[in-house]
Structure formats: C-alpha cells, structure tokens
Amino acid sequence: MKKPTIYDVAKAAGVSIATVSRVLNDDPAVKPQTRDSVLATITAIGYRPNLSARSTGSGRSRWVALLYQNPVIHYIHPIQQGAVERCRQDGHLLSVHACQHTGDALVDEVLGIVDQLQPRGLVLTLPLSISPALCEALRARDTPFVRIAPQGLDDPSARVYFDENTAAAAMTRQLLAAGHRRIGFLAGLPEGHPQPDERRAGHLRALAEAGIRPNAGLLACGSFHFEESIEPLRTMLGRRQRPTAVFCANDDMAAAALQVAAELGLRVPQDLSVAGFDDSYVARIVTPRLTTVRQPLHEMGWEAVDLILRGQAQPVMGQQRILPWQMVAGQSTADAPQDTR
Amino acid sequence: MKKPTIYDVAKAAGVSIATVSRVLNDDPAVKPQTRDSVLATITAIGYRPNLSARSTGSGRSRWVALLYQNPVIHYIHPIQQGAVERCRQDGHLLSVHACQHTGDALVDEVLGIVDQLQPRGLVLTLPLSISPALCEALRARDTPFVRIAPQGLDDPSARVYFDENTAAAAMTRQLLAAGHRRIGFLAGLPEGHPQPDERRAGHLRALAEAGIRPNAGLLACGSFHFEESIEPLRTMLGRRQRPTAVFCANDDMAAAALQVAAELGLRVPQDLSVAGFDDSYVARIVTPRLTTVRQPLHEMGWEAVDLILRGQAQPVMGQQRILPWQMVAGQSTADAPQDTR
DNA sequence: ATGAAAGCGCTAACAA
DNA sequence: TTGTTAGCGCTTTCAT
C-alpha cells in the first residue's frame, strides 16, 4: 500500500485537509475534540507528514545545518550530539556538512547550502566560526547562524562560548601553585594568527601575574592536532633547560606530549607535568589521565541550536550565551621536581 | 531582493521553466546551446534550486540518512566522514540521526525518519545494523538500506564489511608467533549475544589451531567501551597467572588495558603486550601506539552511500562489498617474556 | 472552529 | 528540442 497522505487522514477523520494541517502545526484554533479525533486517525493509519512538502508549502524548512571543516573529532562530535538532541526536541533534523574550500570558494559553498537547504539556521564551528568573510556573507543573506567561538569579531551575531582566557589562566596558575616555573605552552593557533588566541593570552596573563617573563623557547604551536604537535614538542622538551610542565591548548596535543615524554624517557607527572584543555574523550583514555579544563561541548551544540530554534540567532541581533567551565583533575600533573624550584 | 526561482531563470534566459528544469537534471535532450545559455544565466543571477521543492516535485529526495546509536565516537565519525564525501559527489546531503530507543520503539523511530525524510537510503551502523527487527521493517517498507556489519543475518540486504574473523585470527597468530601462550581476550559483545562475535571467533580459532584451549579466566567483555573495560581488565590482569598479552576487540578497550597495566605496574610491552582492533584515532594517540588491525571505516561509509546512490541497496536484492583489512604495527606488543615461554 | 482553494518551487507527462 | 500544464503533499489566506 502507498504511504498515506494528508488526504487519507482527512477522509478517514471526516474533516478537511486544512484541519489536519492545523493539528499538525499545533494551531490552537482547533476544537479539542476534533484534534483528538484527528490525532487518533493519524496514529491509526500511521500517517507521517512529508518533510519536503511541509517545507515547500510553508516556505521554511525544518533543518538545521552543522558546518565544520578539518575537524578535530573530539571537538566536533560532542557538539553534533548536542545539536542533534536539541533538534529532535522540536521535530527538526540536522544536516552535517564537511566544508572543503577556503576563502571565496568557502563562502560560495556555504551559500549553496543555505540556498538549497534553506535551513532554519547554521551552526558554525571552529575554524569556520572565526571567518569574518563567511559571517559577513551570511549576514548579507540575512540567514540566522550561531558561532561556536571564543572570539568576538566585535559583531552582533549569535554566539556560544566560554571564557577560554580565564580558564587557561586558571590552569597556568594551578601549575604555578604546584611550584612550576618553566612552563611550556603549546598553542593551537600559530603566532600572528588574525584571530586572537584566548588560551595563549590567558596563559601569558597568569605568567605575568606571577612575574614570569615568557620564554620563546617554551612557546610552540601544534595547530590543535596530535601529529603536528610531535615535532614542536620534541624540540621544546629536548632542550637542556626543559620545562617542568607543558600546558597544551587541547587534549589531543597533550596526548602528543605524553608520547614525546615517553620517547625522551621522562616520567609523567614525576619529571614532567602535562596539562590539557577541553576534557575531551582523549583526556580520559590516555595514561595517565589528563589534568584538563572541561569545555562543555555537548551543551554548546545544544545551546547553539536552541538559539536558532528560538529565533534568537538573527544575524543583526543575535544573542550570546556564555557557558561555565571547570577544572578537571587528572594524574598528569604534580608538584614540580624539588631541584627545579 | 528575494531568492531567485526557476521562473526568474526561465524569464532571464528566454526559455520555459521546463527547459531550466531539464538543464538542472542533466536531461540530454536539451540542445547544447540552450543548456549553455541557461547555465550562464543561472550563475549570472545566482540561482540555486530549492531542495525541498525538488523533492516534493519529483517524489524522491536527495537525502541519505546515517543512523547510529550510543556511538563509539571513533567508529562513527570516520564512517560519517566517508558518507558525507560520497554524498557530495552526487549532490546529495547527509542527515544524521542519533537513535535513542530500542525494540519496537526503535523501529518506530526509524520508520518515522523514513516516512518524513524519504531518504534515498539509510546507512545502518553497529549496533543498529544487526537488528533483525529493524532490517525486517525496512524491507517491509521497501526502503533501501545498507548495513555496515560483519554478520550476515543470512539475508539479501546490502552490506559493507570486512573479514573480522580472519583479521582477528591473524592478530592472535601474530601474538602466538611472538611466543605468547597465555593470551587474554576482551570481547565487545557479551557471551551469548544473539549475534555471532566474529572477532572472538577468529581469536579462538587461531588459539585452537595452535593447540591452545581457551581459558575462561582469560576471556572477558568490555562492550567496546573504555570505561566498561576497566573492571574486567583489572580482574583479568590481576590474576596470579596473568596473561602475557591481551587482545582487545577495539582500540578503546586496548587503551583501557594500557591504563590498567600502568595501575598494576606492568610495563607495556615488556611485561604485557596489548593489541587493539580498528586502527582508530585512539590507536595512534595513546602511549605506546597500539598494534592493531586497520578497519577501513572511512571507506565503509563511502561505499555504503555509493551502494545507495547506485541503486544497489534494494532490500530484496542488495549488493555486498567486502573491504580489505591490514595489520598495523605499533609499540604495544613484543615478544613474550622469556620465563613464560 | 472549519472548509475551499490558491499557492510553494519544482518535476514530468504530453503535446507540439 | 521545447513549451504547456497538471501534479507533488503540504500550508495558508479568505470565507463561512
């Protein structure tokens, strides 16, 4: 038998298709009795409205698009999970897009998604979320979007983030309190990146508070990726005056630090403390478990979609939501070795 | 200005909307000149066809749905990535669904997705892909689907998989060749699970070939999850006659073995060899890197969508694709300690 | 509170 | 090779 349509429901319930449509859309104007009767026949004949038809008919879709690029899997997946869950609450669906291009081609790619899909809104994850050109283009199209991003771009678009600067400073202060004085920092963004690096800034701020001048040999960049962090860490940890602690701007890079430490015969945390950032899955499965900062990724995905579905992600007047972070104690950090104090 | 429609293109190009539609759908019946002219005006006015309208108009959508449940992130993400990429090649979009229910409710949930979205096909990942009830229901609906699953279910639906049994046997043989005789095995599926556990079967087969009887104390289950593996591993590795090697049915559980080994003061691989399975991201970022078996997850996602888009995923006559696997050498395995041989 | 009917943007016979 | 026109399944005025 064919899939039932709204006509089948109407006929079976003895009402017009308009009434069925009203029930489907929770129109308060329908009499409770009618509603119940329609609802009953809907389940009875197993009717389920066709999404595409609803979209074309109403001019607005029930899609939310999640965009990412070159993803660090532990970053993107929890966000996606939170987004899917929030979508479901409102009967929306999530469409995921792995963007490939950069620059103008990226803008074009994203606008293509917008025009074809006509989603209720877009969730932009890093690094897409800090692209001024992209945000500009979406604003010009008047498309709702939420940026999951720490930096401001000083614009009125909706944003979900947490205070990375303060969180990073807290971690560095904790290492300082444990007696560490030579603390290496492995940044995610390369120095001179157009966007400010809040994690790095927080770290440096805490150092400055303690009266410690940054040492160029103790700063490196791993681009947030495990593999790319190996070499910079070999260099940093191989120095004669090596740091007694390394603070990595995400957990994947901290995992790399554990590997390099083992390679160099350094025990963690006795000889070297390693701190991560994000409290991703990685932090829990490496040995020793990482001391890190919990970034609420799942909630961020949830909140981002929430903003969209509540209509609070208008590009010219977007709301901002700031979420809490939290220190997570692992076994990868300890007091600095006595002789280095 | 409003988003241009097919009418705007037709008017600007001086043709009918039917012709524009034909160009959009690569109808070979259009004269090359006309096609070019239409294409030119399409880019000129920045027209992009509305997906929903195309779906309602044609009765078939341009969606592929990826279903998962309680996902092991490193398993699901590469599959999703491969699926997204294959979708894009044919102008399709991927919709992801985190299923929540089980039993009848699950079937209902999935049929809801099918009816609403009307996707070209579904990609079912583990553990959904081994649910007879679900496959049965989809077959009844005549919905194309591809199962990413090792087991046969002895049915005619499309499937993408690799030979887990042989791969697992190869890993065990390799451990045997290194002199190990007491080899622990941490299974993903609990004993007595309705579906056959190919990895476990392969391991036992290799043991039998070597004339070794399975030892109940050396078999445990971690349900493919890191956390759930900790306790069973503590028990297994804490025995007086502990194994000299553990083979875990996925990398996440092998990471747990590394943690438990450290906890018990066992050096890996000197005191204990640890082998994983999947060659997921986890295998590369733990210390030491895992010896494991490469499961081509990305390709599996790609192939699954390929089957759908080529129309080779009909539930009553689905094609099967078997992909190659490969041993991956890490630093987590070594020869058995001399005194145990 | 409900129904009739005109869209929504596109596809697909059927003609020409 | 192209245009005309009737759908697709739903939403949404506008009446009643």
Side-chain angles (χ1 to χ4, degrees):
Chain A
M1 74 217 163
K2 258 197 72 45
K3 229 209 119 201
T5 72
I6 198 169
Y7 287 93
D8 301 317
V9 178
K11 190 179 301 173
V15 296
S16 74
I17 60 165
T19 299
V20 179
S21 176
R22 287 190 187 102
V23 171
L24 253 31
N25 294 287
D26 287 318
D27 188 326
V30 284
K31 187 161 55 178
Q33 295 175 30
T34 326
R35 166 185 310 282
D36 291 346
S37 134
V38 170
L39 248 23
T41 68
I42 282 179
T43 55
I45 70 178
Y47 166 72
R48 276 171 181 126
N50 178 312
L51 245 197
S52 300
R54 296 187 85 172
S55 297
T56 41
S58 65
R60 52 201 145 63
S61 83
R62 287 163 181 262
W63 288 100
V64 170
L66 174 68
L67 309 194
Y68 58 82
Q69 187 169 45
N70 184 27
V72 176
I73 177 172
H74 298 100
Y75 166 75
I76 215 66
H77 195 86
I79 291 176
Q80 172 176 320
Q81 201 61 14
V84 168
E85 287 170 17
R86 183 59 184 85
C87 278
R88 191 206 325 267
Q89 281 190 18
D90 273 28
H92 278 66
L93 263 34
L94 189 76
S95 170
V96 298
H97 303 264
C99 298
Q100 303 197 295
H101 307 286
T102 56
D104 286 352
L106 170 67
V107 171
D108 219 60
E109 184 178 4
V110 173
L111 291 182
I113 294 166
V114 170
D115 288 341
Q116 285 189 52
L117 186 58
Q118 314 249 74
R120 288 282 302 273
L122 305 176
V123 178
L124 302 185
T125 57
L126 288 168
L128 299 170
S129 55
I130 53 172
S131 159
L134 184 54
C135 296
E136 196 48 58
L138 291 173
R139 197 165 300 122
R141 270 287 205 300
D142 201 36
T143 301
F145 67 95
V146 178
R147 299 190 300 115
I148 295 189
Q151 289 90 17
L153 281 190
D154 199 29
D155 71 8
S157 60
R159 187 157 65 101
V160 172
Y161 64 106
F162 78 108
D163 187 348
E164 302 197 354
N165 189 304
T166 302
M171 178 62 86
T172 298
R173 277 194 213 104
Q174 185 169 299
L175 291 171
L176 288 166
H180 295 280
R181 286 298 172 270
R182 287 198 307 281
I183 304 177
F185 185 80
L186 190 62
L189 300 176
E191 206 151 355
H193 188 89
Q195 297 303 322
D197 184 339
E198 296 295 343
R199 301 183 185 189
R200 190 166 173 280
H203 166 69
L204 293 177
R205 183 161 60 80
L207 282 189
E209 282 168 15
I212 297 181
R213 282 188 328 214
N215 175 333
L218 296 181
L219 283 172
C221 170
S223 305
F224 292 122
H225 285 277
F226 179 89
E227 283 299 348
E228 294 182 48
S229 303
I230 298 289
E231 269 314 320
L233 282 164
R234 280 196 183 125
T235 305
M236 183 195 291
L237 300 180
R239 290 159 43 99
R240 54 272 84 108
Q241 274 279 72
R242 63 166 180 78
T244 61
V246 235
F247 177 12
C248 302
N250 79 352
D251 293 332
D252 299 71
M253 299 194 294
L258 295 181
Q259 218 166 75
V260 170
E263 189 180 302
L264 298 175
L266 299 173
R267 294 165 304 163
V268 176
Q270 297 91 328
D271 303 327
L272 178 74
S273 284
V274 173
F277 205 90
D278 284 355
D279 190 33
S280 66
Y281 182 69
V282 165
R284 293 186 286 281
I285 65 159
V286 293
T287 307
R289 297 197 185 205
L290 294 175
T291 296
T292 185
V293 175
R294 174 163 156 64
Q295 172 174 196
L297 292 171
H298 185 280
E299 290 85 338
M300 287 173 136
W302 198 95
E303 297 286 344
V305 173
D306 190 61
L307 284 173
I308 290 171
L309 297 185
R310 287 178 188 278
Q312 296 170 341
Q314 298 312 318
V316 289
M317 211 186 90
Q319 199 172 298
Q320 310 231 333
R321 291 200 185 155
I322 176 158
L323 296 158
W325 54 271
Q326 182 186 336
M327 296 293 305
V328 175
Q331 281 88 50
S332 67
T333 52
D335 288 347
Q338 282 302 331
D339 56 332
T340 68
R341 297 208 176 187
Chain B
M1 74 217 161
K2 259 198 71 45
K3 228 208 118 200
T5 73
I6 199 171
Y7 287 92
D8 301 318
V9 177
K11 191 180 303 174
V15 297
S16 75
I17 60 164
T19 299
V20 179
S21 176
R22 288 191 185 101
V23 171
L24 253 30
N25 294 288
D26 288 318
D27 187 328
V30 284
K31 186 161 55 177
Q33 295 174 30
T34 326
R35 166 185 310 282
D36 292 347
S37 134
V38 170
L39 249 22
T41 68
I42 281 178
T43 56
I45 71 178
Y47 166 74
R48 279 175 178 121
N50 178 313
L51 244 198
S52 299
R54 298 187 84 172
S55 297
T56 42
S58 66
R60 51 199 145 67
S61 82
R62 288 164 182 261
W63 289 100
V64 171
L66 174 69
L67 309 193
Y68 57 84
Q69 186 169 45
N70 184 25
V72 177
I73 176 171
H74 299 102
Y75 165 74
I76 214 66
H77 194 86
I79 291 176
Q80 173 176 320
Q81 201 61 15
V84 167
E85 287 170 18
R86 183 60 184 84
C87 278
R88 192 206 325 267
Q89 282 189 18
D90 272 28
H92 278 66
L93 263 34
L94 188 77
S95 170
V96 298
H97 303 265
C99 298
Q100 303 196 297
H101 307 286
T102 56
D104 286 352
L106 170 67
V107 171
D108 219 61
E109 184 178 3
V110 173
L111 291 182
I113 294 166
V114 170
D115 288 344
Q116 285 189 53
L117 186 58
Q118 314 249 73
R120 289 282 303 272
L122 305 176
V123 178
L124 303 184
T125 57
L126 288 168
L128 299 170
S129 56
I130 54 173
S131 160
L134 184 55
C135 296
E136 196 47 58
L138 291 172
R139 197 165 301 121
R141 271 286 206 299
D142 200 36
T143 301
F145 67 95
V146 178
R147 300 190 300 115
I148 296 190
Q151 288 90 19
L153 282 189
D154 198 29
D155 70 8
S157 59
R159 188 156 64 101
V160 172
Y161 64 106
F162 78 108
D163 187 347
E164 302 197 353
N165 190 304
T166 302
M171 178 62 87
T172 297
R173 275 194 214 104
Q174 184 169 301
L175 292 170
L176 288 166
H180 295 279
R181 285 300 170 269
R182 289 198 305 283
I183 303 177
F185 184 79
L186 190 62
L189 300 176
E191 205 150 354
H193 186 90
Q195 297 304 323
D197 184 339
E198 296 295 343
R199 300 182 188 190
R200 191 166 171 280
H203 166 70
L204 293 176
R205 182 162 59 82
L207 283 190
E209 282 169 13
I212 298 181
R213 282 189 329 215
N215 175 333
L218 296 181
L219 282 173
C221 170
S223 305
F224 293 123
H225 286 277
F226 179 89
E227 284 297 347
E228 294 182 46
S229 303
I230 297 288
E231 269 314 319
L233 282 164
R234 280 196 183 125
T235 305
M236 183 194 291
L237 300 180
R239 291 159 43 99
R240 53 271 89 106
Q241 273 280 72
R242 62 166 181 78
T244 60
V246 236
F247 177 13
C248 302
N250 80 353
D251 293 331
D252 299 70
M253 299 194 293
L258 295 182
Q259 220 167 72
V260 170
E263 190 181 303
L264 299 175
L266 299 173
R267 294 165 303 162
V268 175
Q270 298 91 327
D271 303 326
L272 178 74
S273 284
V274 173
F277 205 89
D278 283 355
D279 190 33
S280 67
Y281 182 68
V282 164
R284 293 185 286 280
I285 65 159
V286 294
T287 306
R289 299 197 182 206
L290 294 175
T291 296
T292 185
V293 175
R294 173 165 155 65
Q295 172 175 196
L297 292 171
H298 185 281
E299 290 84 339
M300 287 172 136
W302 197 96
E303 297 287 344
V305 173
D306 190 60
L307 282 173
I308 290 171
L309 297 185
R310 287 179 188 278
Q312 298 171 340
Q314 297 311 316
V316 290
M317 210 186 93
Q319 199 172 301
Q320 309 230 335
R321 291 200 185 157
I322 176 157
L323 277 60
W325 53 273
Q326 182 186 334
M327 297 291 306
V328 175
Q331 282 88 50
S332 66
T333 52
D335 286 349
Q338 282 302 332
D339 56 333
T340 69
R341 299 206 177 189

